[in-house]
Amino acid sequence: MSDVELHFEFNADAGASKTFPQQAGTIRKNGYIVIKNRPCKVVEVSTSKTGKHGHAKCHFVGIDVFTGKKLEDIVPSSHNCDVPHVSRTDYQLIDISEDGFVSLLTESGTTKDDLRLPSDENLVAQIKDGFAEGKDLVVSVMSAMGEEQISSLKDIGKN
């Protein structure tokens, strides 16, 4: 045979898509949509009537679920839009490191150490203050399109 060694790169992706198609006319307020390659929560939808060229158009206004920026898009209502798979998972907060990373306890008992504190200053202050007071805190982590961010906080301490 040959003396050439072949090297293959493997990644732990199952090949599942980060989005799924949905007809623009069926997307409603408080749903999710991808605008400019960013996952957004729809805050406003308006539909125009069909013009002389035949397509009714949907005007979407969305808020990026991670950055909070407002994005807009106009799509013919019969066309498909990408909708992100959005999931929310709760983890118990174990530790906050000096460099802004958090250590979280998963359901299976393992730790998750790859998340930073969120960009929302109020939420960061609540997390740090609650942790400093020794409260048992549970953070909700929202994930979509390969990104994850802490989105909310709950105190599960027994009073």
Side-chain angles (χ1 to χ4, degrees):
M1 297 283 271
S2 135
D3 292 334
V4 178
E5 282 189 42
L6 297 175
H7 295 282
F8 295 100
E9 300 240 350
F10 294 101
N11 57 9
D13 188 9
S17 176
K18 294 174 172 58
T19 62
F20 62 94
Q22 185 174 343
Q23 192 170 348
T26 63
I27 296 173
R28 300 281 171 244
K29 186 175 176 178
N30 293 329
Y32 294 97
I33 188 173
V34 176
I35 301 175
K36 296 184 178 124
N37 285 328
R38 299 295 303 158
C40 297
K41 185 174 182 94
V42 178
V43 292
E44 189 181 320
V45 181
S46 56
T47 307
S48 66
K49 292 200 184 324
T50 54
K52 66 179 179 182
H53 297 295
H55 286 289
K57 294 206 173 14
C58 294
H59 177 246
F60 295 105
V61 178
I63 304 291
D64 188 313
V65 294
F66 297 118
T67 65
K69 287 185 181 160
K70 185 176 180 182
L71 298 167
E72 297 185 46
D73 200 7
I74 298 174
V75 184
S77 63
S78 59
H79 288 200
N80 282 346
C81 291
D82 283 335
V83 176
H85 291 285
V86 178
S87 66
R88 178 175 269 138
T89 313
D90 289 346
Y91 298 103
Q92 187 166 351
L93 181 65
I94 300 172
D95 192 22
I96 301 173
S97 68
E98 297 293 321
D99 57 358
F101 282 89
V102 292
S103 184
L104 305 172
L105 185 66
T106 65
E107 292 269 320
S108 62
T110 60
T111 58
K112 179 174 178 58
D113 301 313
D114 59 349
L115 271 178
R116 284 188 168 278
L117 284 166
S119 52
D120 179 4
E121 292 299 324
N122 292 336
L123 189 55
V124 170
Q126 288 177 340
I127 292 171
K128 284 185 174 177
D129 292 348
F131 185 73
E133 292 170 19
K135 293 181 179 175
D136 285 332
L137 301 176
V138 170
V139 294
S140 290
V141 175
M142 183 178 282
S143 59
M145 296 178 66
E147 288 185 58
E148 290 183 313
Q149 184 174 306
I150 296 172
S151 60
S152 64
L153 172 72
K154 285 184 270 193
D155 180 5
I156 58 164
K158 316 284 187 285
N159 292 339

